[in-house]
Amino acid sequence: MIRRAAIVLAVAQFGLVFAGLLVGHVERQSLPPLGKRYVELVPRELGAANVITGILLSYRAFDTLGEVAVLFMVAASVGLVLARRERRKENLLGDARLATRQASEIVRTGAQILVPLIAIFAVYIITNGHLSAGGGFQGGAVAASSVILLLLADPRQRFDQQLLSGMESTAGILFVLVGVAGLIFANGFLDSRVLPLGQFGTFFSAGAIPLLSVLLGVKVGCELSVILDRFRT
Amino acid sequence: MISTVVLATGLTLILIGIWGTLTQRNILRIVIAFSLIGTGTHIFIVAIGYVTSGTAPIIDRGLSTSEAPMRAVDPIPSALVVTAIVIGLAVTAMMLAFAIRLYEARKTLSIDAFTESKG
């Protein structure tokens, strides 16, 4: 009873704080100075049509690198937490049931048709990150969704962990190398102007942003696939 | 106006999440409640960046470079949320990994079975 009252009180207090935020909220009529500066600078200096990708992969690309490091750490620690399970697999009730259970015909056929389409869509999102909504993170997540569909269709599916880790590390190293190239040939670490900016709005434009986007997409896709694969019993 | 509605949606999701983390006894439901808090926060941050009758900060036929500073929404909250979603996914993956380990330890997902650290 006391517990319940405490919960109600806590939620009510949060509700009060949030109500205050909501009442005090005034919709912006114009961009704040920093946002305005980014909207002006990204098309002019970086030649990227998508301002958000420009911020993520050039001005704040160092943060993106940190982000990917977080993902890598999660993949490693999920492996660490779940590692000991492998040895005591046989005394787990769930595993025996899972091993004999097959995905239904609909799921298997659906996976066969959809996985290539999802993969193409992922590539589209990754390579058009500088032109339209999308980018490395988003496309990588879409690619990983095709992996989870494969796993649903056949839980015993084997992925080449070595290949995934290899691709992921290579993409990471290349990402940092492009960053170092920015340090030498342009104005700073991960400056995307190491490559020519090209015609604004075309596929080969915005300097190194499409390249960074592809590397990021490969890295995120591989990392998420490794994480998903680790969860398989 | 629109941003206020979206803001209210985000805050409601956060409240539902807080309520869920405090009342639910099943670990998977607690993980879902945490994800709800995260999603609510993302919606909240995106709503803050909205500019009245603004559009996505992507230059194309509908939005020229010169009029972008007047008509685009704030790109910074959107860029923040892209990274926040990844962190949210990482946290969820870790929580699910721990849930699997806890299930193996007690063969149940109810947190009532874990009383060691109860004061």
Side-chain angles (χ1 to χ4, degrees):
Chain A
M1 193 57 211
I2 294 172
R3 206 188 117 76
R4 187 143 282 264
I7 291 171
V8 170
L9 191 69
V11 173
Q13 278 173 337
F14 270 110
L16 268 181
V17 174
F18 291 168
L21 280 177
L22 200 61
V23 170
H25 172 70
V26 184
E27 197 169 279
R28 284 186 189 283
Q29 298 303 311
S30 62
L31 280 175
L34 183 64
K36 194 167 183 172
R37 188 121 183 88
Y38 274 140
V39 171
E40 284 167 356
L41 278 184
V42 170
R44 204 172 64 217
E45 278 194 342
L46 304 179
N50 185 348
V51 178
I52 296 167
T53 309
I55 294 174
L56 280 177
L57 288 177
S58 190
Y59 292 123
R60 301 253 51 89
F62 192 65
D63 298 350
T64 306
L65 193 62
E67 199 77 15
V68 181
V70 169
L71 260 188
F72 176 73
M73 265 182 312
V74 167
S77 37
V78 166
L80 192 71
V81 170
L82 295 180
R84 233 187 310 157
R85 202 163 46 117
E86 307 282 306
R87 267 178 266 144
R88 333 180 301 159
K89 214 179 209 171
E90 54 284 352
N91 53 21
L92 262 181
L93 196 85
D95 280 336
R97 239 187 299 138
L98 202 91
T100 51
R101 201 174 59 196
Q102 265 259 328
S104 75
E105 178 93 39
I106 297 172
V107 177
R108 271 182 286 138
T109 318
Q112 272 174 13
I113 297 170
L114 282 178
V115 165
L117 291 180
I118 295 176
I120 293 171
F121 186 52
V123 171
Y124 171 78
I125 289 181
I126 291 172
T127 51
N128 281 282
H130 57 304
L131 298 178
S132 64
F137 275 123
Q138 298 90 324
V142 172
S145 76
S146 74
V147 170
I148 202 167
L149 190 57
L150 272 179
L151 277 177
L152 281 178
D154 183 7
R156 282 162 300 172
Q157 186 107 30
R158 288 271 160 249
F159 290 108
D160 196 340
Q161 286 265 359
Q162 215 108 67
L163 179 75
L164 283 178
S165 320
M167 273 167 70
E168 188 242 298
S169 323
T170 317
I173 292 167
L174 286 175
F175 195 95
V176 175
L177 281 182
V178 173
V180 174
L183 207 57
I184 298 168
F185 300 110
N187 289 334
F189 188 62
L190 280 166
D191 189 336
S192 66
R193 281 167 293 179
V194 285
L195 296 176
L197 290 188
Q199 174 82 35
F200 181 81
T202 52
F203 187 74
F204 292 102
S205 66
I209 287 180
L211 183 65
L212 288 175
S213 191
V214 168
L215 291 175
L216 191 65
V218 169
K219 195 160 162 55
V220 170
C222 290
E223 253 155 17
L224 292 184
S225 308
V226 169
I227 293 177
L228 288 173
D229 193 52
R230 295 241 160 98
F231 274 108
R232 194 226 341 250
T233 39
Chain B
M1 179 58 206
I2 301 170
S3 69
T4 314
V5 174
V6 179
L7 211 65
T9 315
L11 291 174
T12 315
L13 271 180
I14 299 176
L15 268 188
I16 295 172
I18 293 171
W19 174 81
T21 49
L22 292 175
T23 55
Q24 297 302 315
R25 314 306 296 165
N26 186 313
I27 290 174
L28 284 185
R29 289 186 180 207
I30 296 175
V31 173
I32 293 173
F34 268 107
S35 303
L36 276 183
I37 298 181
T39 312
T41 319
H42 300 157
I43 294 175
F44 181 85
I45 297 175
V46 169
I48 288 175
Y50 184 72
V51 176
T52 308
S53 68
T55 179
I58 298 172
I59 315 289
D60 56 8
R61 260 167 295 158
L63 185 72
S64 67
T65 319
S66 52
E67 63 173 356
M70 263 75 76
R71 282 189 50 218
V73 300
D74 194 351
I76 299 164
S78 312
L80 263 179
V81 165
V82 170
T83 51
I85 288 172
V86 176
I87 296 297
L89 174 120
V91 171
T92 312
M94 276 317 290
M95 284 193 292
L96 287 175
F98 281 122
I100 290 176
R101 299 294 294 166
L102 289 173
Y103 177 80
E104 280 173 9
R106 292 289 152 85
K107 293 284 175 285
T108 172
L109 276 172
S110 168
I111 52 167
D112 294 321
F114 302 94
T115 49
E116 294 96 337
S117 54
K118 227 173 181 175

